[in-house]
Amino acid sequence: MPQPQATPPKTWTTRALLAWMKDAFVKADLDSPQLCAEMLVAHVLGCERLKLYTEPDRPASPLERQSLRELTARALKDEPVQYLVGEGWFFSMPFHVDKRVLIPRPATATIVEHVLQHARATPGFGRDGGNDSKAFGAGVLIADVCTGSGCVGVALAKHMPAAHVIATDISPDALEVAKENAERHKVADRMDLLRGHMLDPLDEHPVAKAKGSLHYLVSNPPYIPDDEWDSTDPETAVQANVKGFEPTIALRGGADGLDFVRPLLAEGPVHLRRGGLLLVEVAASRANEAKALAQANPLVEAVTVLKDIEGHPRTIVARRK
Ligand code: GLN
């Protein structure tokens, strides 16, 4: 009697793995399912994401499949893929991230974009080297308060190749990550990484202690208000991957989300030189309140709120008089 033909074993090619993982992530309602699948497969295969598409028929080894099964299971339990692969992207640059720091968000790129635009357009804010792009930022001093992974300060230092950045954080763990990222992007020689609460380290910095020395003071402080942190309404609730895995200290901003924003708006401007900009990221729901706080500070003028990439009011900008 003829034997029924056995189903040939499925070959787990890159293409098949990506499809299987994407499907699992879609069903679990994860954000960016395709990107998450690509990041994990590229990580396990030790290649760039592009290579997944130039060699889609590459069969995975049993060990690679085992790693991917484990990582997929963890991602399905809301562990952020950036932590699983140890890397997150910000301003088209790769940053090392792990559970010691907040994962960089696209919304925060607004700060970097605005500073670069302003610096290009404003005499005395970095264009003194003329058209020599290596001299862009010469003489410019920037403080990045609550730097976390260092993404904002490092991206600014990278794009203003002659600027100097002071980055502060209360967490020594975060500063280690920021240092690693500054070294990775070869800007460590133009960055001072200082440990301390908010603006405090500026008072001990040899240049910034003079007050009125900064061209830019930027910050993405913890700002999630308690009502959003505790919310169970899917519209406002903090996502499980954020709440369960990212450092609470980098996220929660007290009852109204302004515990760190308020002192930055009140005490930040004194550190800026005339015409210098203060940029502070805030919860979209508190943008109006934060704007009013900035407008109440007599040291600044031209207070505006910038929208993030999703169109939410996100960053307060104020100019030192
Ligand atoms: N935007 C982040 C979030 O909602 C919060 C970042 C912050 O508190 N600085 O997940």
Side-chain angles (χ1 to χ4, degrees), residues 102 105 220-224 238 242 246 250-252 281 314:
L102 190 80
R105 310 284 204 266
N220 173 18
Y223 61 65
I224 299 182
V238 179
V242 176
E246 295 195 78
L251 292 165
R252 300 192 68 170
E281 187 173 323
R314 186 60 68 196

Side-chain angles (χ1 to χ4, degrees), residues 146-165:
C146 307
T147 195
S149 66
C151 64
V152 174
V154 170
L156 284 170
K158 190 77 190 172
H159 287 82
M160 296 180 81
H164 195 92
V165 176

Side-chain angles (χ1 to χ4, degrees), residues 26-308:
V26 167
K27 284 192 183 121
D29 205 20
L30 244 66
D31 262 355
S32 318
Q34 174 81 26
L35 179 65
C36 289
E38 289 174 6
M39 281 170 75
L40 290 176
V41 178
H43 174 69
V44 167
L45 303 192
C47 67
E48 301 283 329
R49 262 165 49 213
L50 184 64
K51 198 145 176 229
L52 306 176
Y53 295 96
T54 55
E55 292 179 21
D57 297 318
R58 176 192 181 282
S61 72
L63 204 64
E64 288 166 347
R65 283 163 46 197
Q66 176 63 21
S67 305
L68 281 169
R69 265 198 300 274
E70 284 165 18
L71 291 171
T72 302
R74 287 168 68 180
L76 289 172
K77 288 188 182 139
D78 294 318
E79 209 165 325
V81 169
Q82 289 92 335
Y83 288 163
L84 292 174
V85 306
E87 192 164 275
W89 287 76
F90 178 74
F91 214 68
S92 303
M93 294 161 70
F95 286 87
H96 172 73
V97 292
D98 59 38
K99 61 179 172 28
R100 294 174 290 178
V101 294
L102 190 80
I103 296 166
R105 310 284 204 266
T108 307
T110 306
I111 293 182
V112 179
E113 275 155 17
H114 192 81
V115 168
L116 294 177
Q117 272 171 22
H118 178 270
R120 283 190 202 111
T122 313
F125 280 71
R127 291 300 302 274
D128 298 350
N131 288 332
D132 175 4
S133 59
K134 284 202 193 73
F136 181 39
V140 167
L141 187 59
I142 301 167
D144 174 18
V145 176
C146 307
T147 195
S149 66
C151 64
V152 174
V154 170
L156 284 170
K158 190 77 190 172
H159 287 82
M160 296 180 81
H164 195 92
V165 176
I166 305 168
T168 80
D169 207 286
I170 190 80
S171 156
D173 278 351
L175 285 177
E176 273 179 38
V177 179
K179 180 165 182 273
E180 200 177 311
N181 285 320
E183 284 165 358
R184 177 174 189 168
H185 291 291
K186 303 195 168 49
V187 297
D189 56 331
R190 291 183 289 113
M191 279 185 84
D192 301 320
L193 296 160
L194 304 177
R195 185 178 172 240
H197 179 65
M198 306 276 288
L199 300 161
D200 291 354
L202 298 181
D203 291 328
E204 277 142 47
H205 186 272
V207 181
K209 72 177 177 196
K211 305 273 198 289
S213 60
L214 300 177
H215 295 71
Y216 300 100
L217 174 48
V218 302
S219 183
N220 173 18
Y223 61 65
I224 299 182
D226 286 350
D227 57 293
E228 288 173 21
W229 187 262
D230 297 326
S231 166
T232 48
D233 169 3
E235 278 294 304
T236 51
V238 179
Q239 287 171 328
N241 58 340
V242 176
K243 202 167 171 177
F245 291 92
E246 295 195 78
T248 310
I249 183 185
L251 292 165
R252 300 192 68 170
D256 62 2
L258 298 171
D259 279 8
F260 301 95
V261 171
R262 202 176 278 110
L264 283 167
L265 298 178
E267 294 146 35
V270 76
H271 295 277
L272 288 166
R273 66 178 52 216
R274 201 185 159 88
L277 296 189
L278 174 68
L279 294 98
V280 182
E281 187 173 323
V282 301
S285 59
R286 297 326 196 259
N288 282 339
E289 222 172 319
K291 183 182 182 191
L293 287 170
Q295 283 168 329
N297 187 329
L299 289 184
V300 296
E301 59 191 359
V303 178
T304 52
V305 183
L306 303 177
K307 290 198 167 141
D308 66 21

